[in-house]
Each structure stands twice: as structure tokens, then as C-alpha cells.
Amino acid sequence: MILIITGHLAYPLVKEMADKSKKETVVHIAETQVAAFLTPTQIIKEIHEYFEDRLDDIDLILVPGLIRKDTFLIAEEFGIPCYKASTDAADLAMVLDLVDDLELSQSTPADKLIIEEKKKQALQFIEDFENDIEKRDELLKKENNILVRNLPVGEDFPMRVLSEIASAPILSKEDLIKKAEFFVASGSDMIDIGMIAGEDRSDEIPDLIDTLRPIVGDRPLSIDTLNPKEIEAAVNHGIDMVLSLDNGNYHEILPLLKEKNVPAVILPTNFSEGFVPHTPADRVASMQKLVEACDGLEVVCDLILDPVNSASLVDSIIAFHDFHEVDKKPMFFGIGNVIELMDTDSVGANAVLAGIAMELGASILFTPEESGKTHGSVRELAIASKMMFLAKNRQSIPKDLGVDLLVFKDKKKRFDLKQDDNVPIIKQEAPIKFVRDKAGSFKIRVEHAISVKDSYIVATHFKKTKPTISFEGKRASEIYEEIIEKGLVTRLDHAAYLGKELQKAEIAMLTGKEYVQDFDLFKDPEEFIKKQ
């Protein structure tokens, strides 16, 4: 028998979920409204009180997943295994169904264990695939797969994320290195050196490559330019891939690319004559012409993904589809063309475009991160690529994969958090009058690093206008507890304010948002639909 402990508010849902299971269960309602407020001491007391004569019948005790302390004391008291159930009562049926196969924990909620196991299995599948050299070599014999440096690129492999360091020649060496380190930490498979259109900076290219090569390691390094002189300088200095050749410049550089065996991204354009095809048929025809001209060279075909409501996003997608129907060569999908030119959060848009790219058979997902709204796009595409590879191999929709891009919203709603209607409800009529804390004030900021794990929050204490001490930490609680310990807050309203602002700073640190003290992190989502 499994004894399940819960509180009054969650009981109806917990009982419903327990009844769905084939396991023999007993649900006990503890003397608390909110199950998460239970403590091991209280649980021990109630089990003694209500189940003392039935302890021999109990094989397992499950307590709410949200209780703060672990369950060691309960298990020790009764000599019965005791673990945390799910954080959400709606997941309890799933936990009970898997209870014989799942290694439950005394400290981690069961639903998190299930998520972690799914993630572990998903990532292991991808790792095993990438490390299967025999399979890799067999797949590279197909026309839709090529090798760029040592990285397999093609439809049979996970889509590779190529991140662009835009306008690389005008960046300081320090900024160039920081950008590359950030992209590598974000999961980029390949790094692109973005040159400056209309300028010849070919003499600077060797230094750019030498600066970046130690940072990118064995990842392929590409050059983004149509200038034959810059392409030649990059190829002669060991570049791994060229962006881009088109019908206007290929004849000048093709012999060198073949000689050095350097793959190239090719475009269906002729920029030297101002020719840019727009209809799907024209793009496909122009691309086929260039593919024939580049015979003997490994190419990646870019049919050019257009921004929404420019030439036509739909027509460009059709061009990718139609080309792939007649030619299986690897394709290049410039997702940054769409995301940078649309005022929306990048997470969902990147995921959807990665899914479209997978269905079309694309091999490379290309993006810069040139604006605040696209910050994190490389990481998002790196995750999206894994999601689509798993979905493709499982022949499933990209859901419940063990890997996800759920950042700002939850996968499902909680149903066990209900309002207690038996208590009075009070709404503020007027804000309290501001009174300065005699202990001083604080200036809070977020230090964003290359990765979130290296980022931190800083709160500097001021007495009048002079800084006296700074507190650093990765969590709001680390900082406000130290502030309290040192007696630097004496008013309840000031303490509440600090807690609010430090939590905002922590959210900003985790999400990449800019934190500005006293200003909201997020807009009112109904701002543009409210009646005027």
C-alpha cells in the first residue's frame, strides 16, 4: 500500500489522480490548507496518530513534492521508504504508474526526476549518434551530406548552428574574442566572420582568423563576404567555409576553392549585375545553374529566406522546398534574416523556423545576435536543432522530447492552487508614504557574463550619497539575507522593496533581460488590445 500525504486544498485532485492508478493507495489529508507548508515533524506526528496500527501495511510513503525539507527523517522514523511526489498534483497519476521503475528521491520532486531522465536519454541519443564514426562515414557518402573541417553537415545530421560575428573587422580584439566565446558557450557549431559590404579588408583577414581559431577550437570557421579578394585571403589562411559565391563572383574564386577543397555557401543571385530572383521558380533555376557551374566543389545552397512581408517569406520557403525536390545538396537557412526584422521575442520564432527548416531538409541554421530582442538566438537554435533532430528520428511532433524551449511560459497549468474563500480580501486604496530608511539605500545591477552561470547580481549600499559596501550573488536570497545579517535594512517597506527588486534582477539575469532598478521587466501583455 502507498500512503499519500496532502493538504486540504490539493486533496480533491490528489484523490482523483490516486484513483486513476492501479496501485493500492490511501490518501491522508493533513492538518494544513497548503500541502507545501507541511514539515517532516508534522507528517511524522500525523502518521503516528492516524496510522500507528497500520504501519505494517504501508510499503511506501509519498509526501508533497513542494515541501521544503527532505524526507529522510520520516523514512528513518518508520523504517518505510519515504519520497517526494510531484510538485503538481495533476502529475501524481504519472508518478504512481512509474513508481516501480523510477528511482525516487528524498529531496527532489518526482516529476522533476522524470523530466531529468527524459532529458538525459534525449541527450544521450544525440551524443551516441554524433560519436558513431562508422555511421557518420557511411552517411557522408550520400550527396546530401558533406564534411566542413571535421564537422558532418547535411540532412542526415542535426542541423548545425552557424553564428555570425557581424562587422568583425571593426571590433576590437577584446570584443571579437568575447563575441566568439559567447557563441561557443551558447552551443554554436560553427562561427562566421562577418565582413563589411562594399569595403576591401582582405589584409585584416589573417589576423581575424588567427585571433578566433584558438577560441573556436576544432569548430569550423567561415568568412561572410562576396568580395573575391577577401575570399582569397581567407582561403589562403585556412578558412573552413566561404559565404558566399553567386553567379557574379564564382568564376574568380572557384579554382582556388577547388584546389584547397574549401566548401562554399552559394546564392542564386548575381549582385555584380544587380540580379536577385524573387519567384520560387527563378530562385531554383538560378541555383541549379550555379550548382552546375560549381561542379566538383562541395556546396551548401542558400535559396535566401526572406523576412515577413518583404519579398515573400512564403515564396522563399517554397523555393527551398522545390529545390530540395530536385537536388539533395545541403541547404543553408538564414533564420536571422527573419528574426532580426520582426519585433517579437526570438524564442518561439526561432523554434518554429527551425522546425520548418527541418521539414525542408536544411542543414545549417544561420543567425547573428545584433539586437536585444535576438539576444540568445544562438542558444535557442542550438536547443531547437536538438529538438527537431529528436522529433525527426522518433517520427513524432516536437513535444515531450526531454529537451524544450519553454522559457517564459509553463507547459501546463497548475490546478491545485485555489483561493480559500473563507478569508477576507483586502485591496490597496492608496500607496503608503515613502520614508527613507535610516540605515541607507541600495543601488542594484546585473552583471551579464558570457554565460548565465558566470553572471551575478550586485547590490551596493549607500549611506547618504557615499557607497559603503557591495553584495554579490547569483540569487536574490543570497544578497538580501546578507543585508539583513549586517543590519542594513530597518524598515519593513524597504525590506519588501529590496526583495522585489533583487528578484527582478535574478529573473533578468536568467533571461538575458536588461535590469533597470524601479522599472518593470515586462510590458503589460494587454497594452495594445485594451479599449482606448
Side-chain angles (χ1 to χ4, degrees):
M1 182 179 73
I2 299 174
L3 174 61
I4 302 170
I5 310 293
T6 189
H8 284 273
L9 290 178
Y11 172 74
L13 186 56
V14 169
K15 185 69 169 70
E16 180 185 343
M17 294 299 107
D19 289 345
K20 284 184 178 180
S21 171
K22 295 179 181 178
K23 300 290 183 183
E24 182 186 356
T25 60
V26 172
V27 180
H28 172 67
I29 310 173
E31 290 303 314
T32 179
Q33 289 293 309
V34 181
F37 293 166
L38 284 166
T39 64
T41 301
Q42 183 181 352
I43 292 170
I44 288 170
K45 178 183 175 183
E46 295 211 13
I47 291 176
H48 274 304
E49 183 176 351
Y50 293 98
F51 295 93
E52 189 71 50
D53 58 345
R54 301 177 61 188
L55 291 176
D56 290 341
D57 298 328
I58 301 172
D59 302 302
L60 175 67
I61 301 169
L62 292 179
V63 302
L66 284 174
I67 68 169
R68 294 190 63 183
K69 294 186 177 181
D70 63 34
T71 64
F72 173 77
L73 290 176
I74 305 170
E76 186 177 51
E77 175 73 17
F78 298 108
I80 299 171
C82 180
Y83 302 110
K84 288 192 175 184
S86 52
T87 53
D88 185 349
D91 291 329
L92 182 60
M94 173 183 64
V95 173
L96 290 170
D97 289 342
L98 295 172
V99 74
D100 294 328
D101 302 315
L102 190 64
E103 191 172 334
L104 294 170
S105 169
Q106 294 181 331
S107 57
T108 304
D111 51 337
K112 291 188 178 181
L113 292 174
I114 294 170
I115 292 169
E116 288 169 7
E117 182 60 27
K118 278 188 175 182
K119 180 179 179 181
K120 179 181 175 182
Q121 290 178 9
L123 295 179
Q124 189 63 52
F125 174 82
I126 296 172
E127 183 181 346
D128 290 345
F129 177 88
E130 297 278 29
N131 291 334
D132 190 338
I133 303 302
E134 186 177 335
K135 186 173 186 177
R136 184 199 76 166
D137 292 344
E138 191 63 32
L139 290 172
L140 283 170
K141 294 175 183 177
K142 298 169 65 175
E143 68 168 320
N144 57 340
N145 304 312
I146 65 172
L147 199 63
V148 181
R149 195 174 176 88
N150 294 318
L151 181 70
V153 172
E155 190 177 1
D156 292 309
F157 297 93
M159 292 180 291
R160 307 306 186 183
V161 178
L162 174 58
S163 50
E164 181 192 30
I165 303 175
S167 304
I170 65 173
L171 298 179
S172 68
K173 188 164 286 192
E174 181 183 6
D175 286 341
L176 188 71
I177 290 171
K178 276 185 177 179
K179 195 81 170 177
E181 287 177 337
F182 175 73
F183 284 154
V184 168
S186 297
S188 183
D189 300 298
M190 317 162 80
I191 307 291
D192 181 61
I193 303 171
M195 301 303 288
I196 300 170
E199 296 185 17
D200 180 9
R201 301 250 188 161
S202 51
D203 59 329
E204 300 175 40
I205 288 174
D207 186 51
L208 289 170
I209 294 174
D210 289 342
T211 299
L212 292 172
R213 185 65 77 187
I215 308 301
V216 303
D218 201 37
R219 292 173 182 80
L221 200 57
S222 64
I223 188 88
D224 190 357
T225 177
L226 285 163
N227 185 327
K229 290 184 179 179
E230 291 183 335
I231 293 174
E232 182 179 355
V235 171
N236 284 328
H237 206 75
I239 205 73
D240 301 309
M241 187 169 71
V242 167
L243 283 64
S244 304
L245 299 190
D246 77 351
N247 286 294
N249 73 349
Y250 78 89
H251 57 279
E252 293 184 57
I253 203 68
L254 188 59
L256 179 62
L257 292 175
K258 286 185 178 181
E259 177 191 337
K260 299 288 188 178
N261 194 29
V262 176
V265 174
I266 59 176
L267 302 169
T269 58
N270 186 334
F271 283 115
S272 64
E273 297 181 2
F275 170 69
V276 179
H278 292 299
T279 69
D282 286 345
R283 293 189 200 210
V284 172
S286 185
M287 181 62 78
Q288 286 180 306
K289 176 184 173 183
L290 187 53
V291 166
E292 290 179 14
C294 293
D295 186 44
L297 178 70
E298 299 280 23
V299 296
V300 181
C301 302
D302 181 5
L303 281 296
I304 307 176
L305 190 67
D306 288 322
V308 173
N309 205 32
S310 58
S312 172
L313 173 63
V314 173
D315 279 353
S316 63
I317 290 173
I318 291 171
F320 277 97
H321 173 270
D322 291 352
F323 177 78
H324 191 58
E325 289 290 297
V326 297
D327 196 319
K328 300 302 181 186
K329 286 183 174 55
M331 293 192 300
F332 181 100
F333 211 62
I335 285 180
N337 289 358
V338 179
I339 306 300
E340 286 286 358
L341 298 174
M342 182 164 57
D343 283 344
T344 185
D345 288 332
S346 61
V347 182
N350 275 325
V352 169
L353 287 170
I356 292 171
M358 181 269 289
E359 286 199 10
L360 292 171
S363 304
I364 293 177
L365 306 177
F366 177 75
T367 191
E369 288 190 14
E370 287 303 290
S371 60
K373 68 189 177 189
T374 60
H375 178 76
S377 282
V378 171
R379 177 185 56 81
E380 291 158 14
L381 288 176
I383 296 171
S385 171
K386 290 179 173 62
M387 290 174 63
M388 301 312 157
F389 184 71
L390 290 165
K392 182 179 177 180
N393 279 272
R394 295 179 185 183
Q395 297 183 330
S396 72
I397 56 176
K399 183 176 180 289
D400 298 326
L401 299 168
V403 180
D404 64 60
L405 269 170
L406 294 166
V407 178
F408 296 106
K409 296 187 178 181
D410 296 312
K411 186 169 180 175
K412 54 189 174 183
K413 294 181 179 179
R414 293 281 302 272
F415 294 103
D416 57 344
L417 301 177
K418 298 178 182 178
Q419 172 66 42
D420 190 335
D421 296 326
N422 298 320
V423 298
I425 297 174
I426 298 173
K427 294 184 179 180
Q428 186 185 52
E429 295 181 1
I432 62 174
K433 182 181 177 182
F434 172 74
V435 179
R436 188 176 297 278
D437 194 329
K438 65 183 180 181
S441 59
F442 288 86
K443 180 70 176 176
I444 301 167
R445 72 180 192 275
V446 174
E447 291 290 340
H448 289 287
I450 289 173
S451 63
V452 172
K453 69 181 178 64
D454 295 320
S455 301
Y456 56 93
I457 308 162
V458 181
T460 302
H461 177 258
F462 286 80
K463 190 69 173 177
K464 295 185 177 177
T465 59
K466 293 183 179 180
T468 65
I469 189 172
S470 285
F471 299 83
E472 290 184 5
K474 296 188 68 64
R475 300 185 66 85
S477 58
E478 294 175 15
I479 296 176
Y480 68 62
E481 286 176 4
E482 283 298 314
I483 289 172
I484 292 169
E485 278 289 316
K486 295 204 167 20
L488 295 178
V489 58
T490 63
R491 292 184 58 85
L492 287 177
D493 55 347
H494 190 205
Y497 166 82
L498 278 176
K500 177 193 72 155
E501 288 298 320
L502 287 168
Q503 190 62 52
K504 276 169 50 185
E506 184 178 332
I507 293 168
M509 183 189 73
L510 292 172
T511 61
K513 291 277 287 183
E514 289 299 320
Y515 168 79
V516 182
Q517 192 167 342
D518 296 325
F519 285 83
D520 292 335
L521 274 183
F522 302 102
K523 296 178 181 177
D524 178 350
E526 298 181 357
E527 178 182 350
F528 299 109
I529 60 173
K530 287 178 178 176
K531 293 181 180 179
Q532 300 299 319

